[in-house]
Amino acid sequence: MGLIEKMFGTHSERSLKQIYPIVDKIEALRSSMQELSDEQLKAKTPEFKERLSKGETLDDILPEAFAVVREAAKRALNMEHYRVQLIGGIILHQGRIAEMRTGEGKTLVSTLPAYLNALTGDGVLIVTVNDYLAKRDAEWMGQVHEFLGLSVGVVLNSLTTDERREAYAKDITYVTNNELGFDYLRDNMVVYKEQLVLRPLKYAIIDEVDSVLIDEARTPLIISGQSGKSTKLYEACDLLARQMIKGDAGKELTKLDIIMGEEAVETGDFVVDEKDKRVNLTDQGVEKVEKFFHIENLADAENLEIQHNIILALRAHNLMFRDQDYVVKDDAVLIVDEFTGRIMPGRRYSDGLHQAIEAKEKVKVNRESKTLATITFQNFFNKFEKKSGMTGTALTEEKEFREIYGMDVVEIPTNKPVARIDHQDAVYKTRKDKLNAVVKDIEKSMEVGQPVLVGTITIEASEEISALLKKKGIPHKVLNAKFHEMEAEIVAEAGKHGAVTIATNMAGRGTDIKLDDEAREAGGLKIIGTERHESRRIDNQLRGRAGRQGDPGESRFYISLEDDLMRLFGSERLMSIFSALGVEGDQQIEHKMLSNTIEKAQKRIENNNYGIRRSLLEYDQVMNEQREIIYGERYKVLDGESMRPSICSMITSFVENAVEMCIGEESNKANWDLNELEEVLKTVIPFDAKFTMPDVSKKAELIHELKQIVIRMYEDKEAEFADVEQFREIERVILLKVIDRKWMNHIDDMDQLRQGIGLQALGQRDPVVEYRANGYDMFNAMSAAIQQDTVKLILNVKVEQSVEREQVAKVTGTNKDDTAVRAPKKRDTKKVYPNDPCPCGSGKKYKQCCGRLG
């Protein structure tokens, strides 16, 4: 503990001291609230709303509002908030993270800030990690809010667009992070304001905040459409990968070896780096690929796709494992979330890796997708005016919460002292000996009827332990991604006398394991971890399943020197030390050096993962700035604003850029290339045959005159329409189509840029800086293209031409099977069909001319 902590207490202690007086005020109101009838208690809601409308703030009415919710929960649910839960509610209202141990009633805590903030009428979103918890909490905690006259909605995967809009319109809405993120992206693809489902993002309470903002932040949300790429190359590369021989990179060279000119001798066709999850071809492997595809040089630019796909196929076979990273169900490859053990329906690995796995597993290889819209969880949740979160484990990631999300973590004391005993790790030399020791420990607990929860990292490991228990005749239940439908039921039974439950990381987060009396007498729930996770926080979550509300319990992790964490990040020195000490296989080892090695390994991986999330954010930050501009322009169109000022500005920009490009800084009129300037202008502006360049001697005068000519053409076009609003709508339709088409192509181009930008590091350049600079240039080029296409289409539009808003690309996938948002019923206007002559008078078919652009 540092000097400041010794003098003033920890950050959490200082925060709690400021909160205690507010909690005292809430508790002092308890008796006066009890005296109110149900009607009088319900009448407090309109009273609070009126007080807010007259100038009082949420902080002013907080003590009384919290006291009202506390009493309402007692009447509706027979549950009364403890003092520590009132503290948690205040922290959430302040936009901070409340770290509360498992079993402290976080679900009930959320009712306090949700009610208070919903009084503004702006809506509150309570974000959970899965549909089951969203539905359960909406039905359960929703009773409190409905008792007090507030409306409650829930957004589930199966809901239609209209049902989603209705749910988001409620005072308080329960929704998963994925559904919410994808609804935001879809909202920015709609073509009518009436199709929007979300309200402005005001306040979010995030349950299991570490899971949402840390664990899932490594993969961005992506809405995709289909690309035209063939899938045959994936199948060919898979066939070749099966024939290739895994080799060894040879010994790691020291600086002295390199100085002495020694080279690492690689064997086989390829080598695998498990630490960094990379695969590299050896010279022998390169020759094999060239021979297989009948090409001369794999490194040639035209062979980059083959090179990329063979590496993907080798990664699929050597780094991606069935029943660990993914499962195969109903002839489809489904990703398993490495942190929760849950299946992520519809989520796909990017960059062709998913197709490589499909080829490996001999299921249908789906076409590679094209990104239509994307955002990271970091940038999405930072769009909220206020956000808060609660979890049992956040302190280890406090730096990340503070730096990326601007949220501090406050550790809240438990309602009752924790009685759980956390034993030292039991370490064994081999994996086999470790599993045998786990089974023996379970047998020992079975003799006294103590319930056991066995935590595993992978589905494969959970099934392996299940098989060992079956051999011993020990009855048990398995909870993993394959059986997640039964999650709540299995977890609820896990605290019964004599129950044995095997669970992957999901371990029923959000569902309490309640002990029966016999289980309590037998020592409470015993947690057995069969392997250390790469994150200390996940280990702490597993331990936290036991010892809720002062219940007895114990936990112990079993580790072997062959576990991935020890093998890759522990040191080989450990294995040699234990061999030298003559440690027998079934002998348990306990040593401080071991515990330190494990913690160091976990810290290294945590730092590495933080680096990945930080890097993802730095890249997405570039896209985020651009996204804000584009989505802002789209919203102006959806909101029915007049686009006239924007169109005039586009005309001005186009003329200025054309003059700048053709004339530059040249002041002598004799050197002006007016023919070139006219040709450039004519690519966009439909001048008539009588047009001649203005006869002026100064560049500024030329720009002014050309602007006046084109603006007059624009005004003449406007005058052709009897109904000016019809012309305004045509402008909106054209602008929307052009923006969407250009933006979707830009997203794809930025994706390609990012995949290739890593090579800049080889030239001693910062890839992120290069990505930002190139991305800025590409965005400017896209903006110019939007201006040109929009001006061209508007100046060429005909009075009889049909215009209607429609999405420019069909959505083929998000985190679930999705369909494009349907536009309202089409308008009854004449339509120009693709093969009709183009209304602009070019003589071409509509689909080959203006129809191709807009």
Side-chain angles (χ1 to χ4, degrees):
M1 189 181 281
L3 182 62
I4 291 173
E5 280 83 358
K6 283 178 182 174
M7 290 172 68
F8 304 109
T10 64
H11 169 69
S12 291
E13 287 167 349
R14 294 194 299 275
S15 298
L16 293 173
K17 275 180 189 172
Q18 294 170 342
I19 287 168
Y20 288 149
I22 306 170
V23 180
D24 293 339
K25 283 182 189 174
I26 300 165
E27 292 192 313
L29 292 165
R30 184 170 182 255
S31 56
S32 60
M33 291 299 162
Q34 287 174 337
E35 290 168 9
L36 299 177
S37 66
D38 284 0
E39 285 65 35
Q40 288 172 319
L41 197 61
K42 289 173 184 178
K44 284 286 180 184
T45 300
E47 180 198 311
F48 290 143
K49 287 182 178 180
E50 190 182 343
R51 283 165 60 182
L52 288 171
S53 69
K54 287 180 178 175
E56 285 193 61
T57 67
L58 291 177
D59 288 340
D60 293 335
I61 64 169
L62 184 150
E64 203 174 335
F66 274 32
V68 165
V69 177
R70 192 185 194 197
E71 182 59 28
K74 192 176 171 186
R75 296 185 194 187
L77 301 175
N78 198 27
M79 297 168 78
E80 188 173 16
H81 297 77
Y82 299 127
R83 183 178 173 86
V84 291
Q85 289 173 314
L86 297 174
I87 295 168
I90 294 167
I91 288 163
L92 293 180
H93 165 66
Q94 292 172 343
R96 305 160 89 180
I97 292 171
E99 180 177 282
M100 301 180 76
R101 295 287 179 91
T102 304
E104 291 295 300
K106 291 188 284 289
T107 311
L108 186 62
V109 170
S110 66
T111 56
L112 299 161
Y115 172 79
L116 177 65
N117 285 269
L119 294 170
T120 61
D122 291 326
V124 173
L125 294 169
I126 300 181
V127 183
T128 67
V129 289
N130 61 44
D131 271 4
Y132 164 74
L133 290 176
K135 187 170 185 289
R136 183 202 72 177
D137 293 353
E139 290 170 356
W140 186 20
M141 295 298 137
Q143 294 174 62
V144 178
H145 300 302
E146 284 166 352
F147 177 88
L148 291 170
L150 295 182
S151 56
V152 177
V154 59
V155 175
L156 303 172
N157 186 285
S158 56
L159 263 54
T160 64
T161 304
D162 290 338
E163 288 169 335
R164 286 167 185 271
R165 188 179 304 109
E166 194 182 327
Y168 285 122
K170 304 285 188 188
D171 294 315
I172 295 162
T173 307
Y174 289 81
V175 59
T176 67
N177 51 311
N178 282 327
E179 293 300 321
L180 179 59
F182 282 120
D183 280 335
Y184 169 78
L185 289 177
R186 278 190 293 265
D187 265 5
N188 284 289
M189 293 172 73
V190 303
V191 291
Y192 288 95
K193 190 178 181 181
E194 301 75 46
Q195 294 172 330
L196 295 170
V197 299
L198 283 168
R199 295 201 268 168
L201 305 173
K202 295 288 185 179
Y203 179 46
I205 300 169
I206 307 164
D207 194 9
E208 306 297 0
V209 68
D210 56 318
S211 179
V212 174
L213 297 188
I214 304 289
D215 298 339
E216 295 208 31
R218 280 201 285 173
T219 33
L221 294 167
I222 296 171
I223 287 183
S224 54
Q226 221 168 61
S227 77
K229 277 190 184 177
S230 166
T231 60
K232 294 294 177 193
L233 185 57
Y234 292 107
E235 290 159 5
C237 287
D238 179 70
L239 184 65
L240 176 58
R242 292 172 189 274
Q243 300 168 22
M244 297 181 83
I245 299 158
K246 182 178 175 181
D248 191 348
K251 71 164 188 171
E252 203 169 312
L253 298 179
T254 63
K255 285 182 183 175
L256 182 63
D257 291 334
I258 295 165
I259 291 165
M260 297 300 291
E262 279 196 43
E263 290 183 10
V265 181
E266 294 179 331
T267 60
D269 297 324
F270 63 94
V271 291
V272 178
D273 181 345
E274 288 185 74
K275 280 187 188 178
D276 294 328
K277 300 201 180 304
R278 282 201 312 242
V279 173
N280 292 312
L281 291 172
T282 62
D283 291 343
Q284 183 181 309
V286 170
E287 281 179 32
K288 197 172 268 192
V289 176
E290 289 170 344
K291 192 175 176 185
F292 183 87
F293 284 104
H294 305 290
I295 55 177
E296 285 186 17
N297 183 9
L298 182 62
D300 282 350
E302 64 264 28
N303 297 325
L304 278 177
E305 197 176 355
I306 292 174
Q307 193 183 103
H308 177 65
N309 280 42
I310 190 63
I311 293 293
L312 285 178
L314 291 169
R315 275 180 66 195
H317 279 277
N318 295 277
L319 289 170
M320 307 304 294
F321 302 106
R322 186 170 177 164
D323 289 345
Q324 180 174 326
D325 300 298
Y326 64 90
V327 295
V328 178
K329 194 175 179 183
D330 301 330
D331 203 35
V333 171
L334 304 173
I335 300 176
V336 174
D337 187 320
E338 64 176 299
F339 291 99
T340 64
R342 289 189 175 91
I343 285 176
M344 301 159 82
R347 282 274 194 110
R348 293 176 65 79
Y349 293 114
S350 60
D351 201 23
L353 180 58
H354 209 97
Q355 285 79 2
I357 295 169
E358 286 170 333
K360 166 192 167 185
E361 295 295 345
K362 304 294 182 194
V363 301
K364 185 192 171 197
V365 180
N366 290 292
R367 285 197 172 180
E368 218 173 303
S369 54
K370 179 181 178 179
T371 301
L372 304 180
T374 177
I375 195 169
T376 58
F377 276 127
Q378 290 104 317
N379 273 320
F380 173 64
F381 279 104
N382 279 339
K383 291 185 185 301
F384 280 87
E385 284 184 20
K386 181 167 81 172
K387 59 188 176 296
S388 59
M390 46 190 180
T391 178
T393 45
L395 273 177
T396 54
E397 317 290 348
E398 184 173 18
K399 180 187 173 198
E400 186 165 351
F401 281 124
R402 198 183 289 272
E403 287 183 4
I404 290 179
Y405 299 103
M407 303 162 81
D408 62 329
V409 179
V410 180
E411 194 177 6
I412 297 172
T414 54
N415 186 46
K416 293 178 182 175
V418 177
R420 186 187 67 240
I421 301 161
D422 295 327
H423 298 289
Q424 277 275 3
D425 295 345
V427 185
Y428 290 82
K429 197 171 173 184
T430 68
R431 176 179 168 76
K432 183 184 171 187
D433 295 319
K434 173 188 78 173
L435 294 178
N436 287 337
V438 167
V439 173
K440 281 178 188 171
D441 197 356
I442 294 169
E443 283 182 301
K444 198 169 116 189
S445 298
M446 284 287 290
E447 288 169 12
V448 294
Q450 184 180 18
V452 180
L453 175 67
V454 184
T456 65
I457 286 183
T458 65
I459 297 168
E460 189 183 24
S462 67
E463 290 178 347
E464 188 179 1
I465 289 168
S466 175
L468 289 172
L469 294 182
K470 276 176 188 167
K471 276 185 188 173
K472 294 277 187 179
I474 298 172
H476 61 280
K477 288 184 178 176
V478 180
L479 174 63
N480 61 35
K482 289 186 174 178
F483 308 109
H484 63 95
E485 295 89 350
M486 302 182 287
E487 178 179 339
E489 184 190 331
I490 293 173
V491 170
E493 301 282 311
K496 287 193 173 175
H497 178 253
V500 177
T501 311
I502 302 169
T504 43
N505 287 332
M506 61 204 299
R509 279 190 83 167
T511 309
D512 276 343
I513 299 175
K514 292 180 181 172
L515 303 176
D516 58 26
D517 291 336
E518 287 172 284
R520 213 173 257 107
E521 284 171 24
L525 182 66
K526 178 186 273 191
I527 301 290
I528 295 177
T530 59
E531 202 170 327
R532 281 284 199 167
H533 193 273
E534 57 183 43
S535 165
R536 289 169 295 164
R537 186 167 40 79
I538 306 291
D539 289 342
N540 292 338
Q541 283 165 13
L542 181 61
R543 283 195 203 277
R545 306 308 305 163
R548 58 179 290 285
Q549 286 295 328
D551 280 344
E554 57 183 303
S555 72
R556 187 192 289 275
F557 279 87
Y558 284 81
I559 296 163
S560 86
L561 299 183
E562 293 176 347
D563 291 348
D564 285 349
L565 186 76
M566 299 300 290
R567 188 171 55 82
L568 297 175
F569 295 95
S571 95
E572 286 178 18
R573 206 160 50 90
L574 279 177
M575 187 66 103
S576 53
I577 287 170
F578 290 117
S579 297
L581 290 171
V583 174
E584 294 297 323
D586 59 353
Q587 189 178 336
Q588 182 180 322
I589 313 158
E590 280 186 28
H591 197 283
K592 196 177 178 185
M593 183 176 72
L594 272 172
S595 303
N596 290 342
T597 302
I598 293 162
E599 194 161 323
K600 275 181 192 168
Q602 287 178 313
K603 280 181 180 173
R604 277 174 67 187
I605 299 174
E606 282 168 13
N607 288 335
N608 186 41
N609 287 342
Y610 174 55
I612 292 169
R613 291 190 292 269
R614 185 96 208 176
S615 172
L616 177 71
L617 182 63
E618 284 173 347
Y619 281 108
D620 192 59
Q621 203 60 45
V622 178
M623 280 296 289
N624 197 51
E625 291 157 10
Q626 300 177 1
R627 193 187 294 118
E628 290 289 313
I629 295 166
I630 292 294
Y631 286 179
E633 288 300 311
R634 277 192 105 260
Y635 191 78
K636 285 181 194 171
V637 178
L638 294 183
D639 207 31
E641 285 187 30
S642 169
M643 291 294 109
R644 197 178 195 283
S646 295
I647 306 299
C648 290
S649 173
M650 288 178 180
I651 290 170
T652 300
S653 294
F654 172 66
V655 170
E656 286 174 353
N657 291 339
V659 172
E660 198 61 48
M661 184 173 75
C662 299
I663 292 176
E665 298 301 316
E666 183 58 60
S667 57
N668 186 353
K669 183 184 175 182
N671 294 329
W672 290 357
D673 191 343
L674 294 177
N675 288 332
E676 185 195 1
L677 177 58
E678 188 172 339
E679 287 303 310
V680 169
L681 291 170
K682 278 182 175 176
T683 59
V684 174
I685 314 295
F687 294 119
D688 57 27
K690 297 174 187 174
F691 172 74
T692 55
M693 276 287 177
D695 185 17
V696 292
S697 57
K698 291 182 180 174
K699 183 173 137 183
E701 291 172 349
L702 178 65
I703 291 172
H704 176 73
E705 288 298 320
L706 285 171
K707 277 186 201 173
Q708 292 303 312
I709 291 167
V710 183
I711 292 290
R712 274 197 297 275
M713 288 175 70
Y714 172 59
E715 288 169 347
D716 291 345
K717 180 60 66 179
E718 188 178 40
E720 289 176 22
F721 290 78
D723 181 3
V724 176
E725 183 45 43
Q726 186 193 357
F727 188 64
R728 295 282 87 88
E729 175 63 7
I730 287 172
E731 289 175 335
R732 286 191 282 267
V733 170
I734 288 172
L735 192 53
L736 206 55
K737 279 187 177 181
V738 174
I739 285 175
D740 284 354
R741 182 166 284 122
K742 298 291 182 189
W743 173 243
M744 285 171 189
N745 288 334
H746 178 71
I747 289 173
D748 211 42
D749 292 343
M750 290 291 282
D751 202 34
Q752 300 294 326
L753 172 67
R754 186 180 166 186
Q755 285 172 29
I757 206 77
L759 296 171
Q760 299 289 344
L762 300 175
Q764 303 300 308
R765 293 178 180 174
D766 184 337
V768 177
V769 172
E770 293 296 314
Y771 178 75
R772 182 178 289 278
N774 288 328
Y776 179 75
D777 292 342
M778 286 163 66
F779 184 76
N780 285 342
M782 178 197 68
S783 300
I786 287 173
Q787 290 175 357
Q788 290 176 29
D789 284 7
T790 303
V791 172
K792 181 176 182 176
L793 287 166
I794 286 170
L795 293 180
N796 282 298
V797 79
K798 302 293 179 189
V799 177
E800 67 274 12
Q801 193 172 331
S802 155
V803 290
E804 54 196 34
R805 303 188 195 182
E806 57 184 8
Q807 285 193 308
V808 300
K810 181 169 172 54
V811 175
T812 59
T814 57
N815 66 323
K816 57 183 169 59
D817 292 325
D818 200 7
T819 52
V821 182
R822 288 178 175 79
K825 196 174 179 182
K826 292 182 177 180
R827 300 169 187 198
D828 188 19
T829 54
K830 291 177 184 176
K831 182 172 180 175
V832 181
Y833 286 90
N835 290 317
D836 289 350
C838 190
C840 74
S842 66
K844 295 180 182 177
K845 288 181 181 178
Y846 178 60
K847 69 179 181 183
Q848 295 167 331
C849 189
C850 298
R852 179 173 59 81
L853 291 168

